[in-house]
Amino acid sequence: MRGMMPDAAYFDQWYGDMVASPARDAIIIRAMGLPPELQDVGTLTGPGLAEVTEELRLPAGGLLLDVACGRGAYGIEVARRTGARLIGVDFSAVAVEQARSIGARRLPAGRAEFRVGTLLATGLPGGAADGLMCVDAVQFGEPPVAALREFARLLKPGGRLALTCWEAVDPADDRVPPRIKAVHLQRDLPEAGFTDVRVHERPVWREAERVMWEAALAAPGSDPAVRSLQAEGRRSLETFDSLRRVFATATAPGPER
């Protein structure tokens, strides 16, 4: 899909295939070192999830936003670990419906809600969230800095942002998709108004991705979701050294908690 920007219909089909594919989730859970009960996941490792949880510094009963939440598993797990309330937003109605079902199973009634929205138009009121997480999706903002400005709008003064993504090792490398070339978190987070910006490379997370892609390619192509994972794995391994894995944290303007 290099050069293409997947739309909501593409992701609706993608998430629809996933719901019937425990084999896909099993491949990812093993490679990412995630708890076996944590289904419906992406490419954030178990230790990475623990880092995101810690860096958000959520108060019990505080409000966590998970923007571009997909099927909701990571945000649900952070809310479960911290006692926070959760609102998840994704532009795929299919993903949102699945997230509602998963949230109802894993969190007490009334602790989570999920709604359709985009990175640039969440439909949520400003200044309400204690923390905001965005896992591997800020590159879909057009441009990514506009998504970061929306995140700043949503957070309370002193609220915390935690996001994971990829950046180009060399922005001049033609193998890097344009949407990844547009990501420059060290530059754009301060421009969006954030303070205390820290962007860390996570090579161990990146190596876990390699293990995942290799495991996917070695697995039987048993269903559409596994075959989709395999196709993504082939593309990713062809250009693997062109991207670096990053984890960024920042604070919304105002007094820190």
Side-chain angles (χ1 to χ4, degrees), residues 58-66 75-88 99-100 102-114:
L58 290 162
L63 177 61
L64 168 65
L65 302 184
D66 184 2
I76 290 166
E77 181 64 11
V78 173
R80 192 191 68 79
R81 294 181 185 185
T82 61
R85 296 174 292 122
L86 172 66
I87 297 178
R100 287 174 181 148
I102 297 162
R105 294 198 307 268
R106 302 208 71 221
L107 289 172
R111 277 267 301 281
E113 66 174 282
F114 297 90

